[in-house]
């Protein structure tokens, strides 16, 4: 099979060559895609159950037409990820996209569409400023319906992930941190290599750097921004995203209230390596049934993830658990 790679070439002596950001626009675009093809994202089914009934039809149809169900979508939705990017900032930035950039991105979508979708995008290009404003209105209405109610939970996961990655840079180096982002990402010589399905490119980031952006809604695949004037960007799946990530804050508060005990603290502190329930019990000197109960509480609190590995289930700290441990030791 012919493999595709995007190589982000960095300046080896630039300690600020890699930085982190968040992108509300990226999250919303992938929320639209989850709604189009929910079978591809079982980890989002918990969130889906809470939003299906309140999806505004016309804004969703417009955004679905522009974004599509897979592959490339317009850079103007995600072109400026930064550490302090808030949803309101993203919406304001979208309304200020220059008409020539708006048309350029829609031209790429036109080449990737057919039938009624092709006709609809062609009509948008005839009046770029009017179409941009319609899309910005649809973006805001969808945001309010789909992600605003869970932005606290989503943002907490993103920032916990960034905290873990940043600490790994300090303790183990950039190469180790990059290699742990996703199975498709490696540190390659003087930069970051990303294996993709359809695209190969060498991107010179010397002087501009590379922004790394965790994502909750695109929880199974990496994506990139490579074309100017967009900042070179790598979107990667955040760690610790489970079907319960969008639960209400009151439920999380109850779980955290049940969390606090010396036994659970010991399990969490020693959960840096994946272990089975039996291994946790042996390491902590407790019964397997007791270890299973404590792991359930930790998992419900979002601090431990349990992943099946063949016949075994392995338990390991999530980024939120890492952030909590990092703040206390």
């Amino acid at each position: 099979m012919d493999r595709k790679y995007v190589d982000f070439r960095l300046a080896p002596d630039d300690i600020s060559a890699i930085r982190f950001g968040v992108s509300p626009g990226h999250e919303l675009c992938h929320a639209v895609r989850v709604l189009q093809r929910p079978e591809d994202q079982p980890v989002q089914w918990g969130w889906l159950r809470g939003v299906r009934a309140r999806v505004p039809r016309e804004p969703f149809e417009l955004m679905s037409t522009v974004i599509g169900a897979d592959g490339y979508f317009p850079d103007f939705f995600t072109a400026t990820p930064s550490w302090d990017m808030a949803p309101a900032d993203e919406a304001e930035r979208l309304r200020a996209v220059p008409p020539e950039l708006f048309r350029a991105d829609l031209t790429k979508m036109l080449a990737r569409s057919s039938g009624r979708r092709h006709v609809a995008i062609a009509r948008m290009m005839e009046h770029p400023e009017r179409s941009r404003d319609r899309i910005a209105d649809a973006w805001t209405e969808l945001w309010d319906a789909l992600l605003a109610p869970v932005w606290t939970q989503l943002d907490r996961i993103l920032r916990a992930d960034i905290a873990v990655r940043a600490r790994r840079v300090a303790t183990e180096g950039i190469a180790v941190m990059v290699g742990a982002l996703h199975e498709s990402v490696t540190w390659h010589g003087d930069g970051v290599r990303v294996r993709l399905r359809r695209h190969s490119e060498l991107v010179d980031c010397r002087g501009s750097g590379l922004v790394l952006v965790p994502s909750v809604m695109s929880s199974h695949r990496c994506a990139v921004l490579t074309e100017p004037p967009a900042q070179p960007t790598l979107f990667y799946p955040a760690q610790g995203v489970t079907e319960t990530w969008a639960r209400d804050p009151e439920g999380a508060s109850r779980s955290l209230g049940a969390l606090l005990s010396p036994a659970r603290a010991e399990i969490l502190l020693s959960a840096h390596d994946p272990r089975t329930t039996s291994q946790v019990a042996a390491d902590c000197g407790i019964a397997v049934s007791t270890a299973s109960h404590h792991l359930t509480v930790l998992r419900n609190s979002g601090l431990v993830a349990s992943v099946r590995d063949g016949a075994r289930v392995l338990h390991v700290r999530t980024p939120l658990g890492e952030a909590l441990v990092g703040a206390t030791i």
Side-chain angles (χ1 to χ4, degrees):
M1 179 182 294
D2 181 24
R3 293 188 178 273
K4 306 292 186 181
Y5 296 99
V6 169
D7 285 304
F8 293 99
R9 181 172 295 170
L10 303 166
D13 57 346
D14 184 359
I15 61 173
S16 63
I18 289 182
R19 55 193 183 277
F20 290 91
V22 297
S23 175
H26 183 82
E27 298 303 311
L28 185 60
C29 288
H30 280 277
V32 171
R33 287 187 165 178
V34 171
L35 285 163
Q36 291 181 82
R37 294 168 60 170
E39 66 276 8
D40 291 347
Q41 293 269 23
V43 77
Q44 304 297 348
W45 290 350
W47 168 78
L48 274 169
R49 283 192 290 271
V51 302
R52 279 189 183 278
R54 60 173 183 257
V55 179
R57 183 177 61 82
E58 290 186 8
F60 174 71
E61 290 177 355
L62 175 59
M63 289 284 282
S64 297
T65 297
V66 178
I67 294 167
D70 191 28
Y72 172 84
F73 59 76
D75 292 348
F76 58 68
F77 283 119
T78 58
T80 56
S82 64
W83 171 253
D84 57 352
M85 177 68 74
D89 300 328
E90 191 85 281
E92 183 178 351
R93 182 202 55 78
L94 181 57
R95 292 186 184 278
V97 172
E100 61 273 16
L101 293 181
F102 181 85
R103 284 180 57 88
D105 283 356
L106 285 191
T107 297
K108 300 174 192 175
M109 297 308 302
L110 197 66
R112 293 167 169 83
S113 62
S114 59
R116 287 184 294 178
R117 182 170 177 237
H118 185 94
V119 172
I121 293 174
R123 287 176 178 167
M124 292 180 201
M125 295 175 62
E126 294 173 0
H127 304 283
E129 294 186 19
R130 185 192 309 168
S131 299
R132 178 199 61 194
D133 292 344
R134 285 183 59 222
I135 290 171
D137 289 342
W139 191 100
T140 300
E141 193 169 346
L142 278 179
W143 178 271
D144 290 344
L146 304 183
L147 292 187
V150 296
W151 179 242
T152 297
Q153 300 95 300
L154 195 154
D155 188 54
R156 183 167 54 230
I157 295 172
L158 298 178
R159 296 190 185 278
D161 182 279
I162 291 172
V164 171
R165 311 292 183 182
R167 191 172 67 169
R168 183 165 287 162
V169 171
T171 58
E172 302 179 71
I174 288 179
V176 173
M177 183 277 292
V178 167
L181 289 174
H182 188 259
E183 62 181 10
S184 65
V185 182
T186 56
W187 181 261
H188 190 74
D190 59 351
V192 178
R193 167 169 283 187
V194 188
R195 186 178 72 250
L196 298 176
R197 293 178 298 162
R198 302 169 181 166
H199 180 61
S200 290
E201 187 177 356
L202 175 62
V203 183
D204 190 348
C205 299
R206 292 172 294 186
S208 63
L210 173 65
V211 180
L212 302 179
V213 181
S215 177
V216 170
M217 298 306 300
S218 59
S219 56
H220 68 306
R221 186 178 298 149
C222 291
V224 299
L225 284 177
T226 64
E227 294 188 22
Q231 168 72 42
T233 304
L234 167 58
F235 300 94
Y236 64 90
Q239 289 181 325
V241 179
T242 67
E243 190 183 342
T244 63
W245 74 263
R247 63 189 171 161
D248 66 282
E250 289 186 6
S253 179
R254 288 192 296 270
S255 294
L256 286 172
L259 167 67
L260 303 176
S261 77
R264 289 166 197 155
E266 182 180 357
I267 292 173
L268 185 62
L269 286 167
S270 59
H272 52 280
D273 291 321
R275 297 176 300 167
T276 65
T277 304
S278 296
Q279 289 170 328
V280 170
D283 291 345
C284 296
I286 57 179
V288 172
S289 59
T290 303
S292 178
H293 170 70
H294 289 323
L295 285 164
T296 297
V297 174
L298 289 164
R299 185 169 55 249
N300 289 340
S301 300
L303 302 177
V304 166
S306 300
V307 181
R308 181 164 296 279
D309 179 30
R312 306 183 303 167
V313 175
L314 300 176
H315 313 284
V316 67
R317 280 196 303 255
T318 65
L320 185 60
E322 290 279 5
L324 178 61
V325 168
T328 57
I329 60 175

